[in-house]
Amino acid sequence: MTIATFDDASRAVSAGTHVTDAARALVAAMTVDERLWCLDGDAPTWAGLGFLARNGYHKAPFLAAQVERIGLGGVAFSDGPRGAVVGNATCFPVPMARGATWDPELEERVGDAIGRELRALGANLTGAVCVNVLRHPAWGRAQETYGEDPHHVGEMGAALTRGLQRSVLACVKHFACNSMENARFSVDIEVDEVALHEVYLPHFKRIVDEGVASVMSAYNAVNGEWCGQSKALLTEVLRDEWGFEGFVISDWIFGLRDAATSLSAGLDIEMPYRMVRAQHLREALECGDASWADVDAAVERVVATLLRFDDVLSAPAPSIEVVGAPQHRALAREVASRSVILLRNEVVDGSPVLPFDRATRVAVVGRLADRVNIGDGGSSDVWDLECRTVIDGLRDRADHVVHDDGSDIDRAAAVAASADVAVVVVGYTYVDEGEYIGETDPSLPAMFPPGDEPHVADLFQAAISELPPTITPDRIAERPRGGFGIGGDRISLRLPDADVALIRAVAAANPRTIVAIQAGSAVVCSEWIDTVPAVVQAWYGGCEAGPGLADVLLGVMNPSARLPFSVPVDEADLPAFERHATTFRYDRWHGWWHLARQGRKAAFPFGFGLSYTTFALDGVEASLAHDVVVVRATVRNMGERHGADVVQIYAELPDRDAPARLVGFARVEVAAHSAATVAVTVPVDRLATRDAEQHAWRPAVGVHRFAVARFAGDPDALTVNVAI
Ligand code: BGC
């Protein structure tokens, strides 16, 4: 069968030809120019940048590898992860909030909804799967990942990938060790083999095993080489060791520095513009610095992936009505309420402060209470036009709600004093944490081309002149530059002074004061927590943040979320974080591992969260069969209300130098005064340790102690030994 077009290749695959053979045949039928065209984004640099400055991010997907002559559709990329970035899509709670649900099944539904909206909006590839582990809560983009633990992050990211890939290709990012924002264009992360493979890579591997179509390299360097041109990462680990068969794209604009090195390292598409490779690759090929075999291999990987996903991508896109559809908003609300963590709920005058009922007089205080506060203003921003605030949510559920913005503390305290309960809404916004594009390595702009190629600029101009309309939300129109990329890493993990003063004043005026924290990761609460009886972590909760929070505060939803990171008593209890580092060492110890090693108690441990009922564990047993350990436990609901608990399995390894590991978890619903049994399957290879000399995994042997717990370091954990 002759393969001269993408359709020919697709038919050949249906007739039994292997995708890689079909891809190879198609690439052989492409001209030199067509093959080179596939190695970077299809848009010109300068016109593309101009379009971005006019909010292009939200108006059209980024295109790459489209070759009309042979019917190669290529990719149309739009970001995530809290919804489709292009258009006016449904804004879901940020991934860190979703991580707090500890519910992969729910996350898969979110992926399915985002994927359908993306397809309806013209995208077929998304950067929604951001899984860099949270090494430190000051990381500006903490909200875009799921937490600090590789196993938990991997399971949540795999679930999102499953859901997305019913409609689009997913791209997992940023590979690897990208967890500092301000320094991302310049920092070199030094990390040894063991820390890299046991802490910073397992979640990427998990998502590769799930069948993710694409990987995005990171901006930073790892062990002396920029990730976008690191053979060690992109070829030796990703392809040779893990068997990844999809394609690799660069992070945007400064994601690679040298055309030839990036190609031989295994980076397939430079995104999003014709920038470094368009200027330098031909010359590198001519003088032998780059090889045509590598060009072909890269294009073949792109074509093979498109063939592998042909069923998904050639299925008709959902109609545009799916964008912001009522079912998606209902899902956003379910996730918002399921993500709110009850951190503290003390008894005042004989009853816990939460939940309160509809007739309660509620004073809501704070500048964030009537504001759409959905997180980062950079590449993950979602231009949802129907977002509901805390005030909106509470007004639906409670009959007497008054609001004070907290700008005058005495007035706010007086408002609080006249109510039955006071809810103080505090925290951060996109200005305090988020993606950062600001002062950076001054040598980078030299990578821009002197001008655009006229025919490419013409094509681009024609494409963007026919776009469907995207409405700019008022909140964006009010910001300078649309507020794009101005967050960066946090300067402190404390609340702003004004928030702390407001909490103290309101708490002094009303003994039933509840603090709701809006933030993308841990906030140190030690200086004020003893002054208030109730605290919830309420995140950047998406378009239904307010109603979701109200569901929890009024007890319509019994809280079941658990912390996806540790909240320290003091920032000094955490490993160092340097916003402007040029080199930085990552080791095995961060998050709950670091606290345990230092003997520091967390203010709120990883995995912790309260409910309006209480739970107890018993009946723990473990059995080993073939290559899996099955851990069983009974969860008892000791109270009057239906609720859900998250059973967490921590394994201690025989090697005392290795940190304990979260190796499994299960969220379980339990009716009041009843019990439910959970069985968590732990593949034995999850217990393997990395052998730095062999560059390979050392299989688990010996006695492993499993703690079945309700959070990291749970003193009531039940343990069981398993000999492997
Ligand atoms: C971000 C990526 C994002 C890309 C495209 C970059 O600046 O680091 O996370 O996917 O832009 O929007």
Side-chain angles (χ1 to χ4, degrees):
M1 185 185 289
T2 312
I3 295 183
T5 66
F6 186 79
D7 281 350
D8 295 342
S10 170
R11 273 193 295 273
V13 170
S14 307
T17 306
H18 195 280
V19 278
T20 47
D21 295 334
R24 191 166 303 133
L26 183 58
V27 173
M30 292 167 72
T31 66
V32 161
D33 285 349
E34 286 168 348
R35 284 182 244 171
L36 292 178
W37 175 259
C38 289
L39 297 185
D40 49 24
D42 292 353
T45 303
W46 290 105
L49 288 170
F51 181 57
L52 276 198
R54 302 192 302 279
N55 291 321
Y57 251 102
H58 301 275
K59 296 184 176 165
F62 296 92
L63 309 180
Q66 288 196 337
V67 183
E68 215 179 310
R69 184 187 69 83
I70 56 161
L72 182 66
V75 295
F77 176 102
S78 174
D79 258 306
R82 60 182 198 245
V85 165
V86 72
N88 296 112
T90 309
C91 181
F92 289 90
V94 293
M96 193 62 88
R98 285 150 36 198
T101 69
W102 290 63
D103 189 345
E105 186 272 330
L106 184 63
E107 184 62 6
E108 187 172 335
R109 284 160 56 203
V110 171
D112 184 71
I114 295 176
R116 288 161 60 76
E117 296 202 9
L118 283 161
R119 260 314 278 297
L121 289 159
N124 69 4
L125 169 66
T126 180
V129 190
C130 176
V131 293
N132 299 101
V133 286
L134 181 73
R135 186 188 159 275
H136 192 287
W139 178 33
R141 296 179 72 177
Q143 61 189 274
E144 289 185 54
T145 188
Y146 295 104
E148 72 185 22
D149 184 277
H151 174 66
H152 167 262
V153 168
E155 291 304 312
M156 297 302 288
L160 182 70
T161 302
R162 280 195 297 279
L164 288 166
Q165 292 202 153
R166 288 195 201 116
S167 306
V168 294
L169 310 180
C171 175
V172 62
K173 68 190 186 186
H174 311 78
F175 190 65
C177 299
N178 180 171
S179 42
M180 298 165 65
E181 186 56 12
N182 291 48
R184 65 181 168 158
F185 295 112
S186 45
V187 70
D188 179 22
I189 302 299
E190 295 168 359
V191 56
D192 68 30
E193 164 112 9
V194 173
L196 186 64
H197 283 267
E198 292 189 2
V199 181
Y200 292 99
L201 296 186
H203 34 295
F204 284 100
K205 162 86 164 58
R206 172 70 185 84
I207 292 159
V208 165
D209 289 346
E210 193 63 49
V212 75
S214 176
V215 170
M216 184 189 293
S217 56
Y219 283 127
N220 52 280
V222 167
N223 293 332
E225 181 57 281
W226 302 109
C227 292
Q229 47 196 52
S230 162
K231 192 171 203 131
L233 285 174
L234 304 184
T235 296
E236 288 161 17
V237 172
L238 188 60
R239 295 200 170 98
D240 297 349
E241 185 174 337
W242 297 354
F244 175 64
E245 291 186 325
F247 60 91
V248 178
I249 64 177
S250 73
D251 201 345
W252 261 227
I253 302 179
F254 298 129
L256 59 91
R257 319 269 166 133
D258 184 83
T261 317
S262 72
L263 185 70
S264 62
L267 186 119
D268 301 317
I269 308 182
E270 174 189 0
M271 288 297 274
Y273 303 134
R274 291 180 55 74
M275 199 173 127
V276 177
R277 287 178 169 182
Q279 292 179 80
H280 307 294
L281 194 56
R282 267 177 204 276
E283 202 186 311
L285 284 159
E286 274 157 27
C287 71
D289 284 352
S291 82
W292 280 103
D294 285 341
V295 171
D296 288 357
V299 185
E300 280 165 25
R301 286 190 288 258
V302 176
V303 173
T305 310
L306 293 171
L307 284 171
R308 216 173 280 127
F309 283 85
D310 195 26
D311 284 357
V312 173
L313 300 183
S314 61
S319 94
I320 197 73
E321 270 78 62
V322 80
V323 177
Q327 308 89 292
H328 290 183
R329 297 209 175 275
L331 178 61
R333 178 172 187 155
E334 182 182 349
V335 181
S337 60
R338 289 268 302 274
S339 71
V340 173
I341 307 180
L342 182 62
L343 290 174
R344 181 176 165 92
N345 192 18
E346 299 294 295
V347 171
V348 174
D349 294 335
S351 64
V353 170
L354 289 170
F356 54 80
D357 62 22
R358 179 158 206 119
T360 305
R361 290 172 305 149
V362 190
V364 188
V365 176
R367 72 207 143 88
L368 300 175
D370 67 344
R371 171 173 175 160
V372 173
N373 192 23
I374 52 177
D376 168 55
S379 62
S380 74
D381 199 3
V382 172
W383 278 13
D384 193 329
L385 300 171
E386 291 173 41
C387 296
R388 301 204 287 156
T389 66
V390 175
I391 290 288
D392 298 332
L394 282 169
R395 288 214 163 116
D396 278 358
R397 287 257 176 241
D399 293 335
H400 312 284
V401 176
V402 289
H403 173 227
D404 187 285
D405 69 8
S407 54
D408 177 329
I409 285 202
D410 295 336
R411 189 191 61 214
V415 170
S418 65
D420 301 320
V421 300
V423 179
V424 193
V425 186
V426 293
Y428 303 119
T429 72
Y430 73 97
V431 176
D432 306 296
E433 55 180 351
E435 187 163 357
Y436 178 74
I437 297 172
E439 96 274 0
T440 183
D441 178 348
S443 70
L444 289 176
M447 290 175 8
F448 287 134
D452 289 337
E453 301 142 291
H455 68 288
V456 180
D458 290 348
L459 284 175
F460 181 69
Q461 218 46 60
I464 63 173
S465 62
E466 289 173 4
L467 296 173
T470 296
I471 299 168
T472 307
D474 294 342
R475 63 177 179 277
I476 305 296
E478 285 155 12
R479 300 174 185 170
R481 280 206 286 141
F484 194 92
I486 62 171
D489 300 313
R490 280 193 213 161
I491 290 164
S492 155
L493 303 188
R494 290 182 60 243
L495 287 175
D497 287 341
D499 279 353
V500 174
L502 189 63
I503 292 170
R504 291 187 196 285
V506 171
N510 190 322
R512 302 182 83 83
T513 289
I514 302 138
V515 174
I517 303 169
Q518 296 184 338
S521 73
V523 171
V524 171
C525 316
S526 312
E527 67 193 294
W528 52 263
I529 191 131
D530 291 336
T531 66
V532 292
V535 180
V536 293
Q537 177 92 16
W539 312 110
Y540 303 120
C543 64
E544 291 286 304
L549 176 62
D551 287 345
V552 168
L553 299 184
L554 280 104
V556 180
M557 175 70 79
N558 189 356
S560 63
R562 304 286 184 263
L563 280 170
F565 45 70
S566 326
V567 180
V569 171
D570 188 321
E571 189 163 345
D573 295 343
L574 297 178
F577 185 85
E578 272 178 45
R579 298 172 96 214
H580 301 295
T582 49
T583 56
F584 203 76
R585 175 160 286 282
Y586 282 10
D587 62 20
R588 277 170 136 184
W589 307 96
H590 76 282
W592 63 274
W593 292 337
H594 178 85
L595 292 177
R597 184 168 187 238
Q598 302 291 318
R600 307 296 301 178
K601 229 169 129 25
F604 296 106
F606 172 77
F608 174 84
L610 299 171
S611 161
Y612 296 145
T613 185
T614 52
F615 296 97
L617 291 172
D618 62 40
V620 166
E621 52 186 54
S623 57
L624 174 68
H626 306 294
D627 47 5
V628 297
V629 179
V630 178
V631 183
R632 293 194 166 73
T634 301
V635 184
R636 291 189 191 284
N637 181 341
M638 315 297 283
E640 309 292 323
R641 286 195 58 148
H642 180 107
D645 199 16
V646 179
V647 177
Q648 301 159 36
I649 320 284
Y650 296 87
E652 278 174 22
L653 310 190
D655 170 2
R656 291 285 142 219
D657 290 339
R661 283 184 196 165
L662 178 75
V663 288
F665 59 89
R667 181 180 183 278
V668 55
E669 304 261 348
V670 196
H673 296 300
S674 330
T677 306
V678 290
V680 180
T681 301
V682 182
V684 168
D685 62 13
R686 224 171 261 167
L687 304 166
T689 45
R690 187 75 179 178
D691 182 331
E693 267 139 46
Q694 301 296 321
H695 302 297
W697 290 95
R698 199 184 295 117
V701 285
V703 176
H704 289 63
R705 205 157 85 115
F706 286 73
V708 182
R710 303 189 54 250
F711 50 86
D714 181 356
D716 296 326
L718 301 171
T719 57
V720 57
N721 287 344
V722 181
I724 296 167

